[in-house]
Amino acid sequence: MARCQLKAMALLAGILICMGVATQAAQAALHRISVQRAPNFKRTHKNIVAERDFVQQKYRLNTANGYPVEPLSNYDNFQYYGNISIGTPAQYFLVQFDTGSSNLWVPASNCSSTACLDHQTYNLSQSSTFAANGTPFSITYGTGSVSGFLAADNVGFAGLTVQGQTFGAVTTEQGTNFVDAYFDGILGMGFPALAADGVTPTFQNLVSQGLVQSPVFSFFLRDNGSTVNYGGELILGGSDPSLYVGGLTYTNVIQAEYWKFQTDYIKIGSTIVSTYDAAIADTGTSLIIAPLAEYTLIAALFNANSDGLFQCTSLSSVPDLVIVINAVEFRIPAKYYIIQEGDYCALSIQSINQDFWIMGDVFLGRFYTEFDVGNQRLGFAPVNSADSLRGTALWKILVVVLPCGMWKLMN
């Protein structure tokens, strides 16, 4: 028996060593950047309506100047943001990593707007790698606008540095919505066709400059956690299987501007509310946005008004929202798509009268998402919500492998 125990212990040690080597090799190709979320966030009916109005502007093009319209959410909205650097020596900024747009912009040092004074600004005269461009840059929002000029400089994040990235240096921010934002600007991660002025997006430059092993990035967004500000991770160069459960369900992008894909159907309980509708995976939106006809049907199920507000007593009997993608069900429990405030509830599903769905953080916070640029596809899997993510993945394997090994040794 002692000999068998020693053999078992040796087998376990070997398994751990091999797994450690394999894990290190797999992780070496990945580059991570932690994303934060606004502290003390609590979703309310008021900021649901505000976010809906912002998204309505984002998905309409400003036909007067050809620039995409994007929202910068106020501090109450449930957005994710992280650190980047621009210039040499590095100047640091918090940006929202937004898969629903394709341009990078931050405030410039010569911006005198109130919002600029409260945020980090880019000083081109202090960067030895700055390159002038001079093309005017402007983006319009539902509650204001930003404008400035295009510049080029080195941009770093997740331990990588893109050489000569073109971005917007903002000199004017109009609208009170910018003042209280926790982040300074936006880093768009959509496709090049969506970018203003033909600017190559940051991730595409990461790929073309050989900085990532694979043309893939992925998001793990936490909607709950023991650390208040920890919002998850943006991973460049691939995916981390320890952060999700099971395998990824892939679906092709049907329009390489936004990250647009096709759903099979969407239902609440036994009621099918959508069939074969297109949807966009958008990390820059906190809600789920439905086409108007589908939203009207959903609102009728709950007897909700046009803002998604209805009387309620409990969510315990409310069915899941089920989104079927490539024949796989992705379930969102009621507590994630409905908020309760006293005797009233509010849907975190809204409408901006578009003909496609927008899957924001209500969806993406429940499902790990891989954005495969090279193959123009998306992969989804339920997030691993265990406290010790990588440890959990390790023990799942040990539970299977170790008994088999010990049985062989002892027989």
Side-chain angles (χ1 to χ4, degrees):
M1 178 64 71
R3 171 184 268 178
C4 288
Q5 289 176 339
L6 286 173
K7 287 184 177 181
M9 291 176 66
L11 175 64
L12 175 58
I15 292 172
L16 289 172
I17 291 170
C18 290
M19 289 182 63
V21 171
T23 300
Q24 288 178 3
Q27 299 301 323
L30 302 180
H31 304 271
R32 303 170 185 273
I33 182 167
S34 295
V35 292
Q36 306 172 56
R37 53 183 179 172
N40 304 318
F41 169 81
K42 183 179 179 181
R43 181 173 277 123
T44 65
H45 176 244
K46 181 180 178 180
N47 61 44
I48 283 176
V49 173
E51 172 76 358
R52 178 199 63 193
D53 293 341
F54 297 148
V55 177
Q56 186 168 27
Q57 297 301 320
K58 179 176 184 175
Y59 283 88
R60 290 179 179 174
L61 293 180
N62 185 337
T63 56
N65 60 20
Y67 289 104
V69 177
E70 306 170 8
L72 179 65
S73 300
N74 64 23
Y75 72 97
D76 279 332
N77 287 323
F78 199 44
Q79 304 292 349
Y80 296 82
Y81 51 91
N83 249 312
I84 68 167
S85 67
I86 302 178
T88 308
Q91 301 174 41
Y92 293 96
F93 303 89
L94 288 174
V95 296
Q96 181 186 104
F97 296 103
D98 179 18
T99 59
S101 66
S102 295
N103 286 87
L104 166 63
W105 69 261
V106 295
S109 59
N110 59 337
C111 178
S112 59
S113 302
T114 302
C116 293
L117 298 177
D118 290 337
H119 290 91
Q120 297 298 315
T121 60
Y122 169 72
N123 191 329
L124 61 88
S125 66
Q126 293 182 1
S127 174
S128 63
T129 46
F130 161 77
N133 181 299
T135 302
F137 178 79
S138 177
I139 298 179
T140 301
Y141 297 89
T143 56
S145 63
V146 298
S147 60
F149 58 92
L150 291 180
D153 209 333
N154 295 345
V155 174
F157 59 118
L160 306 172
T161 301
V162 177
Q163 305 291 319
Q165 174 64 45
T166 301
F167 65 97
V170 169
T171 56
T172 303
E173 294 188 15
Q174 296 179 341
T176 58
N177 189 51
F178 303 103
V179 176
D180 294 319
Y182 275 91
F183 45 88
D184 307 306
I186 291 177
L187 192 153
M189 303 192 75
F191 286 94
L194 192 60
D197 292 314
V199 172
T200 302
T202 310
F203 186 76
Q204 275 71 14
N205 277 331
L206 279 173
V207 174
S208 65
Q209 294 178 20
L211 298 173
V212 289
Q213 183 172 322
S214 179
V216 175
F217 63 89
S218 53
F219 277 90
F220 167 68
L221 302 180
R222 287 181 73 101
D223 49 19
N224 282 300
S226 57
T227 304
V228 174
N229 290 342
Y230 175 64
E233 291 180 330
L234 162 60
I235 297 173
L236 305 174
S239 297
D240 184 351
S242 72
L243 297 177
Y244 56 86
V245 178
L248 291 166
T249 296
Y250 286 103
T251 183
N252 291 329
V253 169
I254 59 176
Q255 180 188 11
E257 293 182 356
Y258 298 108
W259 284 92
K260 182 180 283 189
F261 62 98
Q262 184 170 301
T263 62
D264 295 353
Y265 60 91
I266 298 172
K267 65 179 182 178
I268 295 178
S270 59
T271 302
I272 294 177
V273 299
S274 167
T275 55
Y276 302 113
D277 276 344
I280 291 170
D282 183 358
T283 59
T285 298
S286 74
L287 307 174
I288 290 178
I289 305 293
L292 182 58
E294 284 79 350
Y295 173 77
T296 301
L297 178 54
I298 293 170
L301 292 176
F302 296 96
N303 197 27
N305 66 15
S306 59
D307 288 335
L309 191 65
F310 60 97
Q311 287 187 308
C312 65
T313 56
S314 172
L315 297 179
S316 59
S317 60
V318 178
D320 295 347
L321 169 68
V322 181
I323 301 163
V324 181
I325 304 169
N326 206 3
V328 177
E329 291 188 348
F330 294 87
R331 291 183 171 270
I332 303 176
K335 65 179 180 179
Y336 293 104
Y337 74 89
I338 297 175
I339 61 167
Q340 189 168 7
E341 298 175 315
D343 295 330
Y344 286 87
C345 284
L347 291 166
S348 291
I349 305 170
Q350 295 287 307
S351 177
I352 58 173
N353 198 22
Q354 299 293 308
D355 61 358
F356 51 83
W357 292 74
I358 303 170
M359 299 299 175
D361 302 332
V362 171
F363 175 82
L364 299 175
R366 304 298 302 158
F367 303 104
Y368 185 100
T369 306
E370 178 185 278
F371 296 80
D372 188 339
V373 176
N375 293 307
Q376 295 191 4
R377 65 178 184 174
L378 286 154
F380 302 106
V383 297
N384 187 343
S385 58
D387 290 333
S388 179
L389 294 168
R390 294 172 182 83
T392 300
L394 174 65
W395 281 108
K396 282 182 178 179
I397 297 175
L398 287 179
V399 165
V400 175
V401 174
L402 186 57
C404 296
M406 291 187 69
W407 182 86
K408 288 183 179 180
L409 284 171
M410 293 179 178
N411 290 277

